[in-house]
């Protein structure tokens, strides 16, 4: 098998068949074989019903993995990659926002340029509000400052890996999978190519601001311990400020005899120090929580069903 397409699907009933048609059309006459691996991420609509039909028809080699519940796109990517048998492995969404034609280009880059091991597409222009793009830019600036792995701003999950890279990604068994960080962490030389996302073919996006915000925090916690150091800096700063202020108060009393009533100062300081302490405990709590969850060593996903095909007949 030359190429495996890994397609995570959550409530994409209207899109899966259209997606497959688009793939078949895009790969017509490409001269190599490919398979589609759909991962049904615990969809609540007719996605699995439609995937069963696609699997039965086998218009092109189709595998389906279905999850026992919704585990998230990251788990879907992981499960799909584990099933892939291709020399190249591509990640693409089911909603046709990412044109399958571009995968052909990615494959030809990997075939022609041995110096690259990954081809990743980045959005050349974002179709989102100014607020959201400001949030995303700030996130990339922050995580690239805090973490030793460097993330390419705007690079999406729409990418193609050589098999060796996919195997390295699979060897990372962490439970909280922040794919962008994982892709950067495993290294390898990546060729970035631009793409313009299309409108979603049907259905709605599964992201909202709250989910994005939590995802951003997971990314930072997962790939940097710098926030833990923040409490050391904050603590040192307040200790120095407190000592200086102590001298000021004592000198004022000794030299000019001014006895400051200080009610407001005390309240402000109590609130300030209290909130700093809570903030630092919160940061530590994030890491303890993640460690706790990882220490349970639970699987990234639970498969309910795996529909395979007889690979010997499609060689
Ligand atoms: N997806 C998934 N599990 C989830 C959420 C999303 O497998 O819990 C899939 C979804 O079906 C789609 C892809 O991930 O194929 C990208 O999701 P979406 O289109 O909602 O994200 P957007 O393109 O808006 O960033
Ligand atoms: Mg989408």
């Amino acid at each position: 098998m030359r190429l495996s397409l890994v397609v995570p699907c959550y409530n994409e009933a209207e899109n899966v068949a259209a997606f497959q048609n688009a793939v078949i059309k895009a790969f017509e006459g490409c001269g190599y074989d490919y398979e589609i691996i759909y991962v049904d991420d615990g969809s609540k609509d007719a996605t699995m019903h439609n995937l069963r039909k696609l699997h039965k028809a086998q218009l092109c080699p189709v595998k389906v993995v279905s999850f026992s519940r919704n585990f998230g796109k990251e788990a879907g990517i992981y499960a799909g990659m584990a099933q892939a048998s291709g020399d190249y492995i591509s990640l693409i969404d089911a909603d046709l926002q990412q044109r399958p034609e571009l995968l052909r280009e990615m494959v030809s880059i990997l075939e022609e340029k041995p110096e690259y091991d990954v081809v990743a597409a980045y959005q050349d222009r974002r179709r989102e509000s100014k607020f959201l793009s400001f949030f995303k830019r700030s996130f990339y600036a922050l995580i690239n400052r805090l973490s030793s792995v460097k993330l390419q701003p705007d690079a999406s999950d729409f990418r193609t890996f050589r098999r060796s890279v996919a195997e390295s990604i699979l060897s990372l068994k962490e439970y909280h999978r922040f794919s962008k960080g994982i892709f950067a962490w495993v290294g390898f030389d990546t060729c970035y190519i631009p793409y313009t996302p299309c409108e979603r073919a049907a259905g709605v996006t599964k992201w909202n601001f709250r989910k994005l915000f939590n995802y951003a925090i997971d990314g930072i916690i997962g790939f940097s311990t710098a926030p833990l150091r923040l409490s050391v800096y904050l603590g040192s700063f307040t200790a120095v400020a407190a000592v200086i202020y102590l001298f000021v108060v004592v000198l004022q009393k000794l030299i000019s005899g001014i006895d400051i009533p200080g009610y407001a100062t005390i309240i402000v300081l109590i609130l300030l120090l209290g909130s700093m302490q809570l903030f630092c405990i919160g940061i530590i709590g994030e890491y303890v929580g993640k460690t706790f969850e990882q220490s349970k060593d639970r699987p990234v996903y639970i498969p309910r069903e795996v529909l395979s095909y007889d690979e010997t007949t499609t060689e």
Side-chain angles (χ1 to χ4, degrees):
M1 185 61 65
R2 199 72 182 137
L3 175 71
S4 301
L5 278 69
V6 171
V7 192
C9 309
Y10 178 54
N11 294 344
E12 304 281 6
E14 289 139 85
N15 291 328
V16 285
F19 172 81
Q20 176 167 314
N21 293 337
V23 169
I24 292 175
K25 204 159 147 250
F27 281 89
E28 231 163 53
C30 67
Y32 50 82
D33 49 3
Y34 60 90
E35 62 176 358
I36 303 182
I37 300 162
Y38 290 104
V39 182
D40 172 39
D41 186 12
S43 298
K44 294 183 182 65
D45 64 359
T47 302
M48 194 54 201
H49 176 75
N50 295 352
L51 289 180
R52 256 184 240 285
K53 282 202 271 188
L54 294 180
H55 176 260
K56 197 153 177 239
Q58 293 288 329
L59 296 178
C60 64
V62 171
K63 274 186 203 169
V64 180
V65 182
S66 80
F67 287 177
S68 59
R69 64 168 171 85
N70 180 245
F71 281 89
K73 184 183 175 185
E74 312 288 322
I77 292 175
Y78 183 72
M81 278 187 154
Q83 290 291 331
S85 56
D87 302 329
Y88 303 119
I89 293 156
S90 297
L91 304 182
I92 182 167
D93 291 350
D95 55 11
L96 287 169
Q97 285 194 285
Q98 306 164 336
R99 287 183 310 112
E101 288 81 9
L102 207 63
L103 295 180
R104 269 181 87 160
E105 200 182 317
M106 291 184 180
V107 170
S108 45
I109 292 175
L110 289 179
E111 300 214 303
E112 283 157 23
K113 299 188 179 166
E115 66 270 28
Y116 288 120
D117 294 305
V118 184
V119 182
Y122 66 89
Q123 299 189 11
D124 55 357
R125 110 185 114 82
R126 286 200 168 269
R127 297 161 172 271
E128 59 197 15
S129 66
K130 284 216 162 60
F131 171 70
L132 204 58
S133 73
F134 170 76
F135 169 77
K136 288 188 180 172
R137 257 184 291 129
S138 318
F139 165 72
Y140 282 113
L142 184 68
I143 195 164
N144 282 336
R145 230 189 124 81
L146 295 183
S147 170
S148 55
V149 295
K150 297 291 166 246
L151 305 192
Q152 179 77 14
D154 290 340
S156 60
D157 291 346
F158 185 23
R159 29 182 98 207
T160 301
F161 306 95
R162 283 189 204 282
R163 182 152 199 91
S164 54
V165 183
E167 277 165 8
S168 315
I169 292 169
L170 286 172
S171 72
L172 268 63
K173 305 282 181 211
E174 56 214 74
Y175 182 74
H176 291 278
R177 301 188 76 78
F178 178 70
S179 287
K180 286 181 176 48
I182 290 179
F183 299 158
W185 190 91
V186 294
F188 296 101
D189 285 328
T190 305
C191 171
Y192 292 97
I193 57 171
Y195 89 104
T196 312
C198 312
E199 288 295 338
R200 213 173 208 287
V204 288
T205 174
K206 277 86 202 176
W207 289 98
N208 54 35
F209 185 73
R210 186 179 55 83
K211 278 194 183 171
L212 264 180
F213 191 77
N214 287 332
Y215 186 63
I217 292 191
D218 278 350
I220 292 172
I221 300 293
F223 283 87
S224 167
T225 49
L228 283 173
R229 217 164 298 145
L230 187 72
S231 46
V232 178
Y233 292 142
L234 277 177
S236 322
F237 174 76
T238 44
V240 172
V243 170
I244 294 173
Y245 191 60
L246 177 80
F247 277 112
V248 172
V249 174
V250 170
L251 285 179
Q252 269 181 341
K253 173 80 181 145
L254 289 180
I255 297 166
S256 54
I258 303 171
D259 199 3
I260 309 159
Y263 173 73
T265 332
I266 288 171
I267 294 291
V268 169
L269 283 179
I270 287 175
L271 288 179
L272 184 75
L273 292 178
S275 54
M276 259 186 211
Q277 281 165 358
L278 281 181
F279 184 70
C280 293
I281 292 172
I283 291 176
I284 298 168
E286 280 287 336
Y287 286 92
V288 174
K290 293 279 188 294
T291 315
F292 170 61
E293 279 168 9
Q294 184 69 47
S295 72
K296 286 189 275 193
D297 209 15
R298 290 189 178 158
V300 176
Y301 64 92
I302 302 279
R304 202 175 82 86
E305 208 175 347
V306 179
L307 305 175
S308 212
Y309 60 86
D310 184 2
E311 288 179 37
T312 51
T313 60
T314 54
E315 285 298 312

